[in-house]
Amino acid sequence: MTTMVAVNRSKAPQVWPRWLFDTFLWVLLLGPIISPLFRATGLPLVSDAGVLARDVLSIYVCPTPERSYLLFGLPMAVCARCWGATIGLWGARLLVGRWTADGARPPAVVGWFLDLPWQVRLLLCTLPFLLWPLEIVGHYQGVWFAPMWLLLLNGMQAGFAAGLFFCSIWPGMWTPARHGYAA
C-alpha cells in the first residue's frame, strides 16, 4: 500500500493594477469633453479627430446624441445621460477607493452585494438602466420631455450601479481581506 501526500499550493489571487481601471474612467470622462474642444480649434487634424469622436460615439454608443451639453457652442460627444453614467462610474470608484484605502468596512449592504454571485450582481446592476429606454421612448412618443438635468441624474444612478459591479469583479479592487475590508 502506497501513501500519497496531497499538497495544495494555491496561487495568490491575480491582482490587476487599479491604474488601468482608472485610465478607462479618465478616457470616458475626458473623451466627450475633448471632442468639442478639438472641433473648436479649427485645426485640420485636431478638428477632424473631434468630429470623428463625435460621429463614432453618436452613431454606435449614445442613444440620444441630440441631447448633449454644449461646450463652445458644440455638442459633447455623448448625451447628458451617458455623461451622467460616466460621473456615476467615477462616484462608485471613488467610494470603493475610500472604503479600501484604509481597510474600513463599507456599509453592510455592500458586503451583502459582494457575497452574491457575479451573475446576480450583474442582474441587479442592470436594473437602473431600465429607466433609460423608458425615458427615451416616452420622449420620442411625446409623453414627456425630460430636462437635461434629469437625464444627467438618470445616467448617474445607472453609472453608479455599473461602477459598483465593475469594481466588484475587478481582480484586486477589494483587498486585503474577504471583500477588501477588515473583517
Side-chain angles (χ1 to χ4, degrees):
M1 179 176 195
T2 306
T3 304
M4 296 182 68
V5 177
V7 177
N8 183 8
R9 293 184 184 164
S10 60
K11 296 180 186 176
Q14 182 178 7
V15 175
W16 291 359
R18 291 181 186 183
W19 65 263
L20 183 60
F21 188 85
D22 294 341
T23 301
F24 291 139
L25 291 181
W26 278 113
V27 169
L28 289 174
L29 181 71
L30 297 177
I33 295 173
I34 290 173
S35 171
L37 293 175
F38 278 9
R39 287 182 286 157
T41 66
L43 297 171
L45 292 176
V46 176
S47 182
D48 293 341
V51 170
L52 178 65
R54 167 72 180 177
D55 289 346
V56 168
L57 290 172
S58 67
I59 292 171
Y60 298 108
V61 176
C62 186
T64 55
E66 70 279 1
R67 302 295 312 269
S68 301
Y69 284 112
L70 298 178
L71 192 60
F72 295 112
L74 298 166
M76 289 176 59
V78 294
C79 70
R81 192 180 311 101
C82 294
W83 180 243
T86 299
I87 295 169
L89 285 166
W90 267 104
R93 172 61 181 102
L94 293 174
L95 272 178
V96 167
R98 183 175 155 263
W99 290 329
T100 60
D102 56 2
R105 179 183 287 282
V109 69
V110 175
W112 169 83
F113 174 76
L114 293 171
D115 284 335
L116 296 171
W118 73 266
Q119 297 92 337
V120 176
R121 282 183 275 148
L122 176 62
L123 178 66
L124 285 174
C125 290
T126 57
L127 292 178
F129 283 93
L130 294 178
L131 290 175
W132 288 26
L134 176 68
E135 183 270 316
I136 293 168
V137 170
H139 171 76
Y140 285 115
Q141 294 296 320
V143 177
W144 57 68
F145 181 79
M148 298 286 270
W149 64 266
L150 188 59
L151 270 68
L152 189 71
L153 286 177
N154 188 1
M156 286 171 68
Q157 56 87 26
F160 185 79
L164 284 180
F165 173 73
F166 291 131
C167 286
S168 75
I169 63 170
W170 190 268
M173 186 67 74
W174 298 86
T175 57
R178 189 170 130 236
H179 291 304
Y181 51 87

